Amino acid sequence: MLTPLLLLWPLSLGLTWFVAQGIANRPYDRALEFTLQALTQFVGVEEGRVTFTLTPQARELLRADETDMVFYQVRAADGRLVAGDPAFPAPPAEAPAQPGVVRLRDDVMHEEEVRVAYAWLGRAGHAGALALVQVAETRGKRSKLATEIIKGVMVPQFIILPLAVLLVWLALVHGIRPLSELEQRIRARRPDDLSPIDDEHVPQEVAPLVASINDLLQRLKATLSNQKRFLADAAHQLKTPLAGLRLQAEMAQQQLPASGGDEIERTLRQIAASSARATHTVNQLLALARAEAAGQALPREPVDLTVVAREVVEDLVPLALDKGIDLGFESLPPAETLRGAPPLRLWGNAVLLAELVRNLADNALRYTPRGGVVTVRVLSDPWGGVQVLQIEDDGPGIPPAERERVLAPFYRTLGTNVDGSGLGLAIVHEIVRQHGATLTMEDTHPQRSERRGLRVAVRFQAAAG
């Protein structure tokens, strides 16, 4: 704030000088006009000739000023010098000769700046001007008065400006002290301290900033809490298959010299199964981590959901054949009935959408018994701008009371003897959230008491084009 004050100070002095010039000119201009009017009393016209007779008293009046010099001149209308100083500058040509009107101007005479008052004189009943009377005065008194005015203003400013700077500095120090205390409190916090900042003793101006930081700390605390819980659950889930893998390997080492090939083959199959479970768990963990971090990291683009779902189904056909399950894909309404309709595209990430379809279809294949049916369906409404992904199976289904809980990581429905990590629906839920979609679950065959099946529907708001 000191810089603006220092810049305004010379501006203030300039304005003061300008005002002082006007103040100093005003009284001396009136005195100069009075002198001009006094001289016009000595101008006369005799037989068409202009005369000027200056009395001794008037002459002494012109010489009474001890500071400035006073000059005068009287000229006839034809330019003839009647009396006064012949070196007197002529008035400007653009000034009209209006009898009886007193005008003022600045000029130079005898290499000195002067203030000039002049007027044209006329006669009653005569339209033209008869004579020009001019009085000039040097600017000594005016400059002296203007200087005194400027000094009178500058001297107080030399005192007021440092005092103002001191007061501003004291006010800023007092005003910034709460900010300094807030800074010290924040610097003194431990790295793991994510508690809200106390906002009772913060300046009102930064209260919204502190509230925003507290909101950020709260969200960061929730994120770190989820990560800690995720790591703990992941460690717990990985510990079981890895421990079994180690146990099976030790058993294989013990059985190698004492037993036949059948026992070793059975143990090796168990090792392979444990390894497959561990690999699946790790892949699902990576997929969930990628889904949670992909909100702003992965690029988004227009995606054809029908194409993505068809490709995923084609990849899962070998798994369905191995389990003896009828895996099918439907696109409703068929493409040939949509001719002329605007094409639908989802604004999202193709990798995550493929992961969503894969997890839902893989869950359906895992829980559907041999001989069952799994259908992946894409419903499109190009005029309403909506696409719905449906995955149906005729497995055991999920009880309504547990449909919310199965979306949490590592939660699995009791009574299902199916290998899995409990992460598939958690991944689906995260991808659905990031794409602004909605997920619903319902029974495929509600009239059955067993194998009621499950229909999972994900509704997307698509964009035409």
Side-chain angles (χ1 to χ4, degrees):
M1 297 184 66
L2 179 61
T3 301
L5 288 176
L6 294 178
L7 292 177
L8 288 174
W9 187 47
L11 179 61
S12 173
L13 294 179
L15 292 176
T16 302
W17 178 86
F18 180 77
V19 174
Q21 293 293 331
I23 295 175
N25 281 330
R26 197 170 298 120
Y28 293 114
D29 283 349
R30 286 198 293 267
L32 192 61
E33 291 176 4
F34 174 77
T35 302
L36 175 67
Q37 291 173 356
L39 290 178
T40 59
Q41 303 300 320
F42 302 100
V43 178
V45 179
E46 296 178 359
E47 298 179 358
R49 297 183 62 185
V50 178
T51 62
F52 181 75
T53 305
L54 190 62
T55 64
Q57 294 82 359
R59 196 180 303 275
E60 291 298 326
L61 178 64
L62 295 176
R63 297 175 180 175
D65 196 336
E66 298 179 355
T67 304
D68 289 314
M69 297 178 61
V70 179
F71 308 96
Y72 70 93
Q73 183 191 70
V74 179
R75 284 185 179 273
D78 56 2
R80 179 177 56 85
L81 178 64
V82 177
D85 195 329
F88 219 107
E94 61 272 11
Q98 296 180 356
V101 178
V102 179
R103 289 188 174 88
L104 296 167
R105 74 176 189 271
D106 293 322
D107 217 321
V108 177
M109 187 173 179
H110 300 299
E111 298 182 354
E112 289 193 36
E113 293 184 357
V114 293
R115 184 72 167 170
V116 180
Y118 64 99
W120 293 91
L121 300 181
R123 187 172 58 187
H126 195 280
L130 298 177
L132 171 65
V133 181
Q134 299 188 93
V135 179
E137 182 183 50
T138 56
R139 306 182 64 90
K141 296 190 298 294
R142 302 166 187 264
S143 299
K144 184 177 179 180
L145 179 58
T147 302
E148 291 177 356
I149 294 174
I150 294 175
K151 288 181 179 179
V153 174
M154 287 179 59
V155 172
Q157 285 190 359
F158 275 114
I159 301 174
I160 293 175
L161 182 62
L163 182 61
V165 171
L166 177 62
L167 293 177
V168 168
W169 181 76
L170 292 176
L172 288 177
V173 169
H174 182 269
I176 292 177
R177 184 178 295 119
L179 291 178
S180 301
E181 294 175 355
L182 177 62
E183 177 190 4
Q184 294 174 1
R185 278 192 291 156
I186 294 177
R187 289 184 180 275
R189 292 169 70 95
R190 300 189 310 275
D192 58 345
D193 184 6
L194 298 178
S195 60
I197 301 173
D198 184 13
D199 57 355
E200 293 184 0
H201 304 289
V202 299
Q204 183 179 1
E205 292 79 7
V206 297
L209 175 62
V210 175
S212 300
I213 294 176
N214 287 338
D215 180 65
L216 175 63
L217 291 175
Q218 183 178 1
R219 288 184 280 124
L220 182 60
K221 184 177 181 180
T223 301
L224 293 178
S225 176
N226 292 336
Q227 289 183 352
K228 290 179 180 179
R229 178 175 55 83
F230 175 79
L231 292 175
D233 293 342
H236 177 73
Q237 292 294 325
L238 286 174
K239 182 170 63 176
T240 301
L242 292 178
L245 184 64
R246 178 181 177 183
L247 178 62
Q248 295 297 332
E250 291 176 352
M251 292 177 58
Q253 290 179 352
Q254 295 174 1
Q255 295 171 359
L256 185 60
S259 62
D262 294 340
E263 288 295 327
I264 295 177
E265 182 181 357
R266 184 177 61 82
T267 302
L268 291 177
R269 282 199 302 268
Q270 292 176 351
I271 291 175
S274 298
S275 176
R277 286 195 299 272
T279 301
H280 178 71
T281 301
V282 171
N283 290 335
Q284 293 289 78
L285 287 173
L286 292 175
L288 180 58
R290 180 175 59 184
E292 289 180 343
Q296 300 295 333
L298 293 182
R300 292 173 179 257
E301 57 187 0
V303 179
D304 191 334
L305 182 62
T306 303
V307 174
V308 172
R310 183 186 295 110
E311 292 176 352
V312 172
V313 170
E314 291 174 355
D315 292 341
L316 293 177
V317 166
L319 177 61
L321 293 176
D322 183 63
K323 296 192 65 175
I325 297 175
D326 182 5
L327 174 63
F329 173 77
E330 296 178 359
S331 176
L332 297 177
E336 57 270 14
T337 66
L338 293 176
R339 292 176 181 176
L344 285 182
R345 296 289 187 272
L346 297 183
W347 186 255
N349 185 271
V351 176
L352 293 182
L353 291 174
E355 194 70 33
L356 179 145
V357 179
R358 189 181 308 279
N359 277 278
L360 289 177
D362 182 75
N363 266 10
L365 292 174
R366 286 178 179 273
Y367 286 90
T368 300
R370 182 174 293 273
V373 178
V374 174
T375 303
V376 178
R377 183 181 299 113
V378 177
L379 306 177
S380 300
D381 181 6
W383 289 274
V386 174
Q387 274 193 315
V388 180
L389 172 70
Q390 289 185 352
I391 289 89
E392 294 182 356
D393 63 62
D394 55 356
I398 300 176
E402 297 189 10
R403 289 174 183 171
E404 288 291 334
R405 286 185 282 179
V406 296
L407 299 177
F410 305 112
Y411 181 86
R412 300 185 63 197
T413 305
L414 296 177
T416 56
N417 298 319
V418 178
D419 290 337
S421 61
L423 291 171
L425 290 179
I427 296 172
V428 169
H429 179 64
E430 180 63 26
I431 297 175
V432 166
R433 183 188 66 81
Q434 291 186 6
H435 285 79
T438 57
L439 184 146
T440 57
M441 301 181 192
E442 59 183 359
D443 294 331
T444 307
H445 307 289
Q447 68 279 5
R448 299 180 184 175
S449 57
E450 295 183 358
R451 294 185 61 178
R452 301 167 65 91
L454 182 68
R455 179 187 295 116
V456 180
V458 181
R459 182 186 178 91
F460 296 92
Q461 190 68 34

